[in-house]
Amino acid sequence: MELKKSPKADLENKRNIFVQIGLVISLGITLLAFEWTTRVEQATSLGSVVQQDVEDEIIPITRQEEVKPPPPPPPPKVVEVLTIVDDDTEIEEELDIEDTEADDNTVIDVAPVIQQEAEEEEESEVFFIVENMPEFPGGELALRKFIANAIKYPVIAQENGIQGKVYVNFVVDKDGSVSGARIARGVDASLDKEALRVVNSLPKWKPGMQRGKPVRVSYTVPISFVLQ
């Protein structure tokens, strides 16, 4: 079937014109929207500042309750027992009252005063500094030679390379003999033992004198162990 239409009534011929008109209208509306401006009305006032009162927060003060210690227990009650005795009852226990008054015939025993303890204390007292200090026979140089000749260096100390100075303290008695030797400052057990042996082998000294009497005097000798 063939359609019959007038060429003037056919809108397909005017399609391009309608498209161009639509594009122009849309572009115009878009430009108008970008160019449209609104005026800002002038503000009559900046408003008012309202001051708000802030209430001070009151912090309550709390205190820790004191814990009181428990009260001490009451003292035990003392119960007094009263024994009622008849007036006719005889008391067997009697107090013997001795007469302590002395007369001319009273003999008083007095223990004798013993002075032996004081003498023993003087004998056992050890002095550190006296008028005449103890002296080795031949003087200080002879003492050093005697110690150097008497020392036998311990093998264990030699193998371990141990050396040093040992201080030995001893007491020179009234007769000049040496007693109570002890280590005042040691280095090694083997060296300390050898130093004590040498000191105990010392001959008698010239004793120390105090007020013309021999007394016991403390003396300290340093013994040096040096590896060659």
Side-chain angles (χ1 to χ4, degrees):
M1 182 176 180
E2 186 179 356
L3 296 176
K4 294 180 180 181
K5 184 181 288 188
S6 175
K8 295 181 179 180
D10 190 4
L11 297 178
E12 293 292 333
N13 296 329
K14 300 178 180 180
R15 181 179 179 181
N16 294 331
I17 297 173
F18 290 145
V19 171
Q20 291 177 0
I21 293 171
L23 289 174
V24 172
I25 293 172
S26 60
L27 289 174
I29 293 173
T30 303
L31 292 173
L32 181 63
F34 279 106
E35 295 295 332
W36 186 270
T37 59
T38 58
R39 293 181 180 180
V40 179
E41 297 181 358
Q42 185 177 0
T44 57
S45 63
L46 297 176
S48 59
V49 179
V50 179
Q51 183 177 1
Q52 185 178 0
D53 296 334
V54 180
E55 296 181 358
D56 295 335
E57 183 179 359
I58 300 175
I59 301 174
I61 299 174
T62 58
R63 293 182 179 179
Q64 187 177 2
E65 296 182 359
E66 296 181 359
V67 180
K68 296 183 178 180
K77 295 181 179 180
V78 179
V79 180
E80 296 182 358
V81 179
L82 298 178
T83 304
I84 300 174
V85 182
D86 296 337
D87 295 339
D88 299 335
T89 304
E90 296 181 358
I91 300 175
E92 296 180 357
E93 297 180 357
E94 294 182 357
L95 297 177
D96 295 335
I97 301 175
E98 296 181 357
D99 188 6
T100 58
E101 295 183 359
D103 53 11
D104 296 338
N105 298 323
T106 303
V107 179
I108 300 174
D109 295 333
V110 179
V113 179
I114 301 174
Q115 298 181 355
Q116 184 178 0
E117 295 180 358
E119 294 177 356
E120 291 179 356
E121 290 179 358
E122 291 180 358
E123 292 180 358
S124 61
E125 184 178 2
V126 178
F127 293 85
F128 292 91
I129 297 176
V130 293
E131 296 174 355
N132 297 325
M133 292 295 291
E135 184 179 353
F136 186 81
E140 189 72 21
L141 183 60
L143 174 62
R144 294 180 183 178
K145 290 182 178 180
F146 179 89
I147 293 175
N149 296 329
I151 284 179
K152 296 180 180 179
Y153 213 109
V155 179
I156 298 177
Q158 290 180 1
E159 293 177 352
N160 296 326
I162 300 173
Q163 58 183 355
K165 185 177 291 186
V166 180
Y167 289 84
V168 183
N169 178 265
F170 55 91
V171 176
V172 179
D173 292 327
K174 294 180 179 181
D175 59 351
S177 60
V178 174
S179 65
R182 62 180 183 86
I183 300 297
R185 188 173 70 184
V187 176
D188 181 74
S190 59
L191 298 183
D192 297 348
K193 184 178 180 181
E194 177 63 17
L196 287 175
R197 186 193 68 80
V198 172
V199 169
N200 288 325
S201 65
L202 291 175
K204 286 189 176 183
W205 292 43
K206 181 180 178 181
M209 303 294 289
Q210 181 71 12
R211 296 180 181 178
K213 295 181 180 181
V215 292
R216 304 180 69 203
V217 182
S218 177
Y219 203 92
T220 302
V221 171
I223 300 177
S224 299
F225 291 86
V226 181
L227 291 174
Q228 301 297 332

